[in-house]
């Protein structure tokens, strides 16, 4: 009896989640909660389900910290000279001149140093295409069908990828890990805090929305059309694949709604079968799951915007967006972010029109410009990549200052990931995700000296005890003490 | 005002200084878009000049270029009559950048096979295969990189495996090009013989490193034998060889130590295996990749073996790169190994100066990092007499930078190849200019240079 009770409670709750929207359990990386057991005396009420694969993130122990007398870029457009930044209880407490350190606080002399929010990389395959890159660890593309919306990148993340620590040394405090771009629908992405952990759940950014990775352009048609002689083999085949996928998701949503209507009068109504693929796509249609679209060409990006219009969803961010400069006005109008490289171009025809000024031109048009890596190597120096982009923009006549360009690495990616209310800027109340640099962070010579995640000193350039080494690196790499 | 002054005024930016007491034309350095016609004598003066030679770094220096070569470099030099003078006060001048290991001109778009000529499937040749004839000096990739200071490049073949995964043991011959105008880009060919070892080499010989070395030794043994018995071979009176006649002929300069073996290899033990083969056959070797080279820096220094590295390699992304570290460059230099840099982002050798900046940030001497992208590649490939430093007699391949050439904020203002200033435009600058202003009445297609 109780088994059946639980089963129908599960279905009821799943349906409620789907219909009511805003159901944290399905569409955000909610933290685990304890479900109260239903009592025998009360009417069978659906027991709240724990969110699947819930975040178990706990910030590392943090000492209150006062960073003194630094050049501070807040990520809100402000630059303060000889200013202090106070971190209390894992949060930014205050920014300004001559702050007082609370008792027991660690004091960091920031003279000559720069302080910025932690860098956020919106496009990473750390953990899913980890080091070492052998077949056994090649988990980034479920390249067995063009629509694998049912997979979740986090289920492929190997927390022992040494790339995480390397990124941390480069000032990256949060990142979004996505499936690759072999498929039209690649699967869910996951936002993580860049902390060493035994499990991916321990890394999951609490409460962050999920993303869905989709890809247009050359890759899916090369993998399927060229590689397997199956659809899609053309761009038109890809668009048809997208539209079909969303049509099925809409049908799934309609069936959920129908069930919910019927249940009121027919207690034995049969709920529709749960389908992971449609569950994720339905999340997109309900506006709960953010769409991250790998797309290079200007014309294709606008086709994807129209795809969104057809089904009532918005693209959150175009990734790579090598031709974003050609439609910067449209991106601004549609409030779509573009996550770009400073200067990668030409490796495919769809990347042939890449220019150095892409990021600056998108930014100048008032659109949300982001510098991303898509590389375990590039993620280590996103600050330098932004420096190159800023310089290119200045040379073509834009007035670009460090206090603005830093937003390409911090506030804008936080916005794209739906966590801007919690991190991405140095503002009182936000998570103390902070980097102390030895000099202007946009310089090729800049090094991150201290990297704080939720106020905890996750990386210290001058203290080997604060330089994490993953299990794989232990005894294997020099940093891991290989003989 | 002379006709040349007027021309300069029309072409250049706002800064013009007419020198009244001679027929010298002086052009300010304010604009990057001035085309300086190839004058017989050009004087570049006022910059901080990194000669990368015994003269070191000279402040407020003068470079005299005549007939495409550097005539003199020094301070307080007199300006020859009839010279075009380019004032570059406050700027920094270096030799042109040398892409020490890349694909410029032989690969345009990696995913578009018809534009890729660095290797071929089912190629029945190995050492005889050369990229030189395939190089297109008008490639967009060359144009994009040369306006950012790249003036020379080694173009390397890459062996392509057949359906069963086997590739020729030697990918072929690399060639060196200049990035100037005209249709004769090749300045040296063969410049090296590419041999891939390590995991990739093992994979393309069936899956074991020993197999790759076996095939290499067999080829070298046969080439030696061929050299001593050519007449017999031509008459069909010699044992059969593992390679074709063309390969056996082509590889002779490798055996003579005249042209180096460019060995793509990372792991310390693999590097030592290469050094053993080189000793055994009297080869000159260059290590390409060398992620773990620092572990065997002593052997490399003692044998005078140069190393070309990608500075960014610091992850154990393969079992042969477990020792990868950003400190590699600094450690090799400190041990007396000749270090050059080459990025594996083959589209962007222009970013080699960022590699150099990162090497400095991780402990390498600044001079050594600058040399790694200029003088050292020239030395490695036997071109030190003609390029790589700013010294009398060498080609006037040089770059005027608006700041520290290794810094992210710096750009090239002028690039000279053989004394001729390149037009600072590429397809990318045209695209940038076309899309500067969106929303005009006509479609962007009507905006043309």
């Amino acid at each position: 009896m109780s088994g059946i009770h639980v089963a129908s409670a599960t279905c009821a709750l799943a349906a409620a989640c789907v219909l009511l929207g805003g159901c944290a359990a399905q569409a955000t990386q909610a933290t685990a909660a304890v479900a109260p057991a239903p009592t025998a005396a009360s009417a069978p009420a659906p027991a709240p389900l724990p969110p699947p694969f819930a975040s178990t993130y706990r910030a590392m122990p943090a000492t209150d910290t006062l960073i003194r007398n630094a050049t501070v870029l807040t990520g809100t457009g402000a630059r303060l000279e000889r200013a202090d930044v106070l971190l209390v209880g894992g949060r930014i407490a205050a920014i300004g001149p001559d702050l007082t350190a609370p008792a027991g606080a660690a004091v960091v002399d920031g003279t000559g140093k720069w302080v910025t929010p932690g860098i956020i990389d919106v496009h990473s395959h750390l953990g899913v295409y980890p080091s070492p890159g052998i077949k056994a660890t090649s988990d980034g593309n479920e390249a067995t069908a063009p629509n694998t919306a049912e997979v979740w990148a986090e289920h492929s993340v190997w927390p022992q990828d040494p790339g995480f620590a390397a990124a941390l040394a480069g000032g990256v405090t949060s990142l979004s890990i996505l499936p690759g771009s072999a498929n039209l629908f690649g699967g869910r992405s996951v936002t993580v805090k860049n902390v060493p952990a035994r499990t991916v759940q321990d890394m999951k950014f609490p409460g962050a929305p999920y993303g869905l990775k989709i890809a247009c352009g050359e890759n899916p048609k090369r993998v399927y059309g060229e590689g397997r002689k199956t659809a899609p083999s053309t761009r038109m085949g890809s668009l048809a694949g997208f539209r079909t996928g969303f049509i099925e998701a809409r049908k799934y949503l309609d069936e959920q709604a129908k069930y919910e209507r019927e249940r009121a009068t027919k207690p034995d109504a049969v709920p529709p079968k749960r389908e992971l693929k449609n569950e994720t796509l339905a999340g997109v249609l309900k506006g709960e799951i953010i769409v991250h679209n790998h797309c290079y060409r200007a014309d294709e990006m606008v086709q994807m915007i129209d795809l969104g219009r057809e089904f009532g969803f918005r693209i959150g961010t175009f990734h790579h967006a090598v031709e974003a400069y050609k439609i910067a006005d449209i991106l601004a109008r549609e409030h779509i972010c573009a996550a770009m490289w400073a200067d990668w171009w030409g490796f495919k025809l769809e990347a042939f029109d890449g220019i150095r000024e892409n990021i600056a031109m998108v930014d100048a048009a008032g659109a949300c410009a982001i510098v991303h890596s898509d590389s375990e190597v590039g993620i280590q120096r996103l600050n330098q990549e932004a420096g190159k982009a800023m310089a290119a923009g200045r040379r073509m006549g834009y007035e670009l200052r460090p206090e603005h360009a830093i937003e390409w690495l911090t506030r804008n990616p936080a916005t794209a990931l739906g966590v801007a209310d919690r991190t991405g800027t140095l503002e009182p109340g936000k998570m103390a995700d902070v980097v102390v640099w030895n000099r202007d962070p946009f310089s090729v010579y800049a090094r991150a000296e201290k990297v704080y995640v939720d106020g905890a000193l996750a990386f210290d350039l001058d203290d080997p005890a604060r330089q994490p080494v993953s299990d794989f690196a232990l005894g294997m790499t020099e940093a891991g003490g290989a003989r | 005002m002379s006709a040349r002054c007027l021309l300069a005024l029309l072409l250049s930016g706002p800064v013009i200084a007419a020198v009244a007491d001679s027929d010298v034309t002086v052009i300010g350095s304010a604009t990057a878009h001035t085309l300086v016609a190839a004058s017989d004598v050009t004087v570049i003066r006022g910059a901080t000049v990194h000669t990368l030679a015994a003269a070191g770094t000279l402040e407020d220096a003068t470079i005299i270029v005549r007939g495409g070569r550097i005539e003199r470099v020094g301070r307080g030099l007199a300006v020859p009559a009839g010279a075009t003078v380019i004032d570059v006060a406050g700027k920094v001048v270096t030799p042109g950048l040398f892409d020490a290991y890349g694909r410029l001109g032989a690969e345009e778009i990696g995913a578009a096979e018809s534009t890729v000529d660095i290797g071929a499937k089912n190629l029945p040749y190995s050492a005889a295969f050369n990229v030189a004839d395939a190089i297109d000096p008008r490639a967009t990739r060359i144009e994009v990189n040369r306006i950012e200071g790249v003036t020379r490049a080694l173009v390397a073949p890459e062996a392509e495996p057949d359906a069963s995964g086997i590739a020729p043991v030697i990918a072929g011959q690399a060639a060196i090009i200049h990035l100037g105008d005209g249709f004769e880009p090749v300045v040296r060919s063969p410049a090296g013989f590419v041999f891939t070892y390590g995991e990739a080499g093992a994979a393309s010989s069936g899956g074991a490193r020993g197999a790759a070395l076996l095939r290499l030794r067999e080829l070298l043994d046969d080439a030696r034998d061929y050299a001593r018995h050519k007449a017999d071979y031509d008459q069909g009176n010699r044992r059969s060889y593992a390679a074709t006649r063309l390969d056996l002929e082509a590889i002779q300069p490798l055996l003579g130590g005249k042209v180096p073996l460019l060995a793509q290899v990372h792991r310390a033990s693999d590097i030592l295996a290469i050094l053993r083969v080189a000793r055994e056959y009297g080869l000159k070797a260059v290590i390409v990749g060398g992620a773990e080279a620092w572990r065997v820096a002593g052997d490399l220094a003692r044998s005078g073996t140069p190393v070309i590295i990608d500075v960014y390699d610091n992850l154990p992304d393969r079992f042969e790169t477990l020792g990868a570290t950003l400190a590699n460059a600094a450690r090799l230099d400190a041990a007396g190994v000749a270090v050059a840099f080459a990025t594996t982002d083959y589209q962007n050798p222009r970013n080699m100066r960022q590699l150099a900046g990162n090497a400095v940030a991780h402990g390498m001497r600044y001079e050594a990092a600058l040399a790694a992208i200029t003088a050292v590649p020239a030395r490695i490939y036997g071109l030190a007499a003609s390029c790589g430093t700013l010294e009398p007699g060498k080609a006037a391949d040089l770059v005027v930078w608006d700041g520290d050439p290794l810094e992210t904020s710096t750009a090239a203002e002028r690039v000279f190849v053989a004394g001729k200033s390149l037009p600072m435009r590429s397809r990318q600058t045209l695209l940038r200019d076309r899309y500067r202003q969106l929303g005009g009445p006509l479609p962007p297609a009507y905006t043309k240079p």
Side-chain angles (χ1 to χ4, degrees), chain A residues 72-80 115 402-404 406-407 411 426:
Chain A
V72 180
L73 304 180
T74 59
T76 61
R79 169 178 174 158
L80 299 101
V115 179
E403 53 266 35
H404 178 70
I406 196 69
E407 296 181 29
R411 170 148 82 171
L426 300 180

Side-chain angles (χ1 to χ4, degrees), chain B residues 319-335:
Chain B
F319 280 86
E320 61 183 355
T321 58
L322 297 179
T325 167
L326 289 166
N328 196 14
R331 291 177 187 174
L332 289 171
D333 178 52

Side-chain angles (χ1 to χ4, degrees), chain B residues 239-294:
Chain B
R239 64 175 174 81
S240 63
Y241 296 128
T244 70
R245 180 184 59 82
L246 289 179
D247 293 321
L248 296 165
E249 271 296 339
I251 207 164
Q252 294 303 317
L254 175 68
L255 283 172
K258 288 196 183 61
V259 173
L261 186 74
L262 307 180
Q264 295 196 89
V265 63
H266 286 281
R267 200 169 70 179
S269 59
D270 291 342
I271 293 170
L272 293 179
I274 296 297
L275 295 185
R276 277 195 297 276
V277 171
R279 260 197 318 275
E280 203 178 306
Y281 289 88
L283 314 177
K284 266 180 22 190
V286 177
I287 303 301
V288 180
E292 294 198 342
W294 63 273

Side-chain angles (χ1 to χ4, degrees), chain A residues 226-439:
Chain A
E226 201 183 308
R228 282 160 230 233
K229 313 284 182 253
T230 58
S233 72
T234 59
R235 285 174 165 86
M236 57 186 175
S238 296
L239 256 298
F242 283 124
R243 297 170 82 194
T244 303
F246 283 114
I247 286 169
E248 283 164 12
R250 171 58 58 192
K251 179 156 179 271
Y252 180 77
L253 267 183
D254 291 345
E255 279 165 10
Q256 301 279 8
K258 179 158 169 268
Y259 164 72
E260 213 32 56
R261 284 193 304 274
E262 285 178 354
R263 203 168 70 92
T265 51
K266 277 203 298 183
D268 59 343
V270 176
K273 184 178 163 200
R274 187 180 175 201
E275 288 172 14
L276 292 178
K277 194 191 301 271
N278 283 318
E279 198 167 274
T280 290
L281 295 183
V284 169
L285 294 179
K286 287 180 291 147
E288 292 164 1
I289 294 183
I290 303 173
V291 174
H292 292 277
N293 188 181
H294 154 125
C295 206
Y296 284 70
R297 253 173 42 183
D299 58 305
E300 291 190 66
M301 285 190 269
V302 181
Q303 294 214 32
M304 296 304 283
I305 292 173
D306 271 357
L307 173 78
R309 274 199 239 291
E310 182 179 12
F311 291 95
F313 70 86
R314 305 176 51 76
I315 307 269
T317 301
F318 284 119
H319 289 239
H320 316 323
V322 165
E323 295 194 353
Y325 64 97
K326 301 185 183 182
I327 51 161
D329 52 343
I330 297 174
L331 296 174
R333 192 175 66 227
E334 297 289 327
H335 303 289
I336 300 176
C337 292
M340 301 160 279
W341 293 296
D343 52 31
W344 282 16
W345 72 285
F347 41 95
K348 294 184 280 188
L349 186 63
E350 62 188 358
F352 199 53
D353 285 11
I355 62 175
R356 281 200 180 281
E357 297 79 4
N358 194 21
I359 292 165
M361 288 167 79
V362 167
D363 180 70
C368 161
I370 293 169
V371 186
H372 75 341
S373 76
D374 193 10
S375 160
E376 66 277 12
V377 171
I379 192 174
Q380 301 180 46
R381 52 191 63 81
L382 282 171
N383 54 310
Q384 297 177 27
E385 298 305 296
K388 287 191 290 186
M390 177 169 61
R394 280 175 164 167
R395 276 193 300 275
M396 75 178 282
Y398 297 126
E399 199 190 302
L400 279 169
R401 302 207 175 118
E403 53 266 35
H404 178 70
I406 196 69
E407 296 181 29
W408 302 338
L409 299 174
T410 55
R411 170 148 82 171
N412 292 354
T415 301
L417 298 178
V419 296
D421 56 334
R422 277 163 287 182
T423 189
T425 61
L426 300 180
E427 291 180 280
K430 291 220 170 143
M431 294 163 160
D433 298 336
V434 181
V435 184
V436 180
W437 303 89
N438 64 340
R439 54 191 291 162

Side-chain angles (χ1 to χ4, degrees), chain B residues 415-434:
Chain B
V415 183
F416 294 82
V417 175
K420 186 162 170 230
S421 176
L422 301 179
M424 296 296 274
R425 57 147 266 185
S426 73
R427 188 164 177 276
Q428 292 187 357
T429 64
L430 295 183
L431 282 164
R432 171 200 69 198
D433 292 342
R434 166 171 282 191

Side-chain angles (χ1 to χ4, degrees), chain B residues 122-174:
Chain B
N122 305 309
L123 189 66
Y125 305 97
S126 58
F129 176 72
N130 193 315
V131 291
D133 287 321
I135 290 164
D136 177 16
R138 295 181 56 84
T140 299
R141 202 190 288 194
I142 282 181
E143 188 185 52
V144 163
N145 280 282
R146 74 181 201 168
I147 65 169
E148 295 202 21
V150 184
T151 56
R152 297 270 174 138
L154 177 109
V155 186
E158 184 76 16
E160 208 173 311
D162 62 23
S164 64
I166 307 297
V169 61
I170 295 281
Q173 303 164 42

